[in-house]
Amino acid sequence: MEERSTQQEMVELCLFIGRIMLQNGAETYRVEDTMTRIAASYGKEDAQSFVTPTGIVFSLSRTEPSKLVRVSDRTTNLHKVTQANSISRNITGGDLTLREAYKQLDEIDTSGSYYSMGTQIAAASLASGCFSIMFQGNWYDFLPACISGGIGFVVLLLLHELFEIKFFAEFLASLFIGTLAFTFMSFGIGHETDKVIIGSVMPLVPGLLITNAVRDLMAGHLISGLSKGAEAFLTAFAIGGGVAIAFSIF
């Protein structure tokens, strides 16, 4: 009975750490590898895991019953992924018990973002201005790109709270950015509208998602790779659609 309880705790821990990593931007193959390594450190060499972007299936062996965890919300927080990786290494090294690890993971899961909302907005604003320069804009476009990118990122965050389907939020945020850029030009602020818009939408571009899709495909996780690639394509289409409508209006 005690052994059965320990196995159940092990399954819950593996699913917990897998969910935290997957929700915060880890690659599919990394999640599977972490879960199986933890199980192997407790003598379960035959542990089975199957991870997709929307769910995790895990079993301690081929004959044990499997358990499923649904993953509906995904974001990018690589700090939490790093923390979860560190805990997994401590578990496999024998430095943490199951309950100690679960407690630390719970603290990671319930903690907010590593960076404050103001810091994220400031970073998005500065990055927008720098991207406009990188794409051969001039310094007259730097300030409007910073403002458009910062406000557009705020709009994205607000719309994510309102819309369950994130593509609508990305579409409307990019439309707002395009409208704001044309408004700046109408007042003589900035020289090249396209450079301002390109720089401003860059914080919305799913760069990590595209990278993870390619890495999963290279690792042989075809379902996850293709699904992440499709999600990245839809996000890019939403951003492009919003900008295209702004161009058609103005």
Side-chain angles (χ1 to χ4, degrees):
M1 188 68 178
E2 184 177 350
E3 181 182 356
R4 188 67 184 174
S5 176
T6 302
Q7 290 183 358
Q8 184 65 25
E9 289 181 3
M10 197 184 309
V11 171
E12 293 292 339
L13 178 70
C14 290
L15 288 171
F16 195 17
I17 194 171
R19 178 176 64 79
I20 290 174
M21 294 179 68
L22 191 63
Q23 279 183 332
N24 290 284
E27 307 93 320
T28 299
Y29 73 88
R30 187 190 299 273
V31 176
E32 289 188 353
D33 182 65
T34 299
M35 295 168 67
T36 52
R37 283 178 183 273
I38 292 174
S41 68
Y42 285 95
K44 300 296 181 180
E45 302 285 348
D46 199 27
Q48 304 291 310
S49 62
F50 179 73
V51 179
T52 70
T54 56
I56 302 173
V57 180
F58 183 74
S59 176
L60 288 178
S61 69
R62 299 177 187 272
T63 58
E64 290 285 336
S66 301
K67 190 166 184 178
L68 167 68
V69 169
R70 173 79 174 172
V71 178
S72 54
D73 299 324
R74 295 183 301 280
T75 185
T76 301
N77 192 331
L78 297 183
H79 180 67
K80 287 189 176 183
V81 175
T82 302
Q83 287 180 308
N85 265 330
S86 177
I87 290 175
S88 72
R89 285 192 290 269
N90 289 335
I91 295 171
T92 55
D95 299 325
L96 284 176
T97 64
L98 288 174
R99 297 196 177 184
E100 289 172 342
Y102 197 94
K103 182 179 179 181
Q104 292 186 18
L105 288 170
D106 187 58
E107 292 175 356
I108 294 173
D109 190 41
T110 55
S111 65
S113 175
Y114 183 68
Y115 297 103
S116 67
M117 195 63 66
T119 303
Q120 294 180 49
I121 295 170
S125 178
L126 181 60
S128 298
C130 293
F131 274 119
S132 69
I133 300 298
M134 190 181 76
F135 288 112
Q136 299 181 348
N138 57 56
W139 287 103
Y140 293 103
D141 299 322
F142 181 82
L143 182 60
C146 285
I147 297 173
S148 299
I151 296 178
F153 190 74
V154 172
V155 171
L156 177 69
L157 295 177
L158 294 175
L159 291 176
H160 269 167
E161 300 295 326
L162 298 176
F163 294 105
E164 189 172 331
I165 302 176
K166 70 173 187 174
F167 304 112
F168 289 141
E170 289 155 350
F171 170 78
L172 294 174
S174 61
L175 175 60
F176 188 86
I177 287 173
T179 302
L180 198 58
F182 278 106
T183 302
F184 278 127
M185 295 300 153
S186 66
F187 285 98
I189 304 174
H191 283 182
E192 297 181 81
T193 309
D194 57 334
K195 301 300 189 297
V196 173
I197 293 177
I198 290 172
S200 301
V201 300
M202 286 305 292
L204 312 183
V205 174
L208 180 66
L209 194 61
I210 296 172
T211 302
N212 285 351
V214 174
R215 294 184 70 173
D216 280 339
L217 286 172
M218 292 176 66
H221 293 258
L222 301 182
I223 295 176
S224 296
L226 291 175
S227 60
K228 288 180 180 179
E231 184 179 356
F233 171 79
L234 288 174
T235 300
F237 182 79
I239 295 171
V243 172
I245 290 178
F247 267 98
S248 66
I249 293 175
F250 294 93

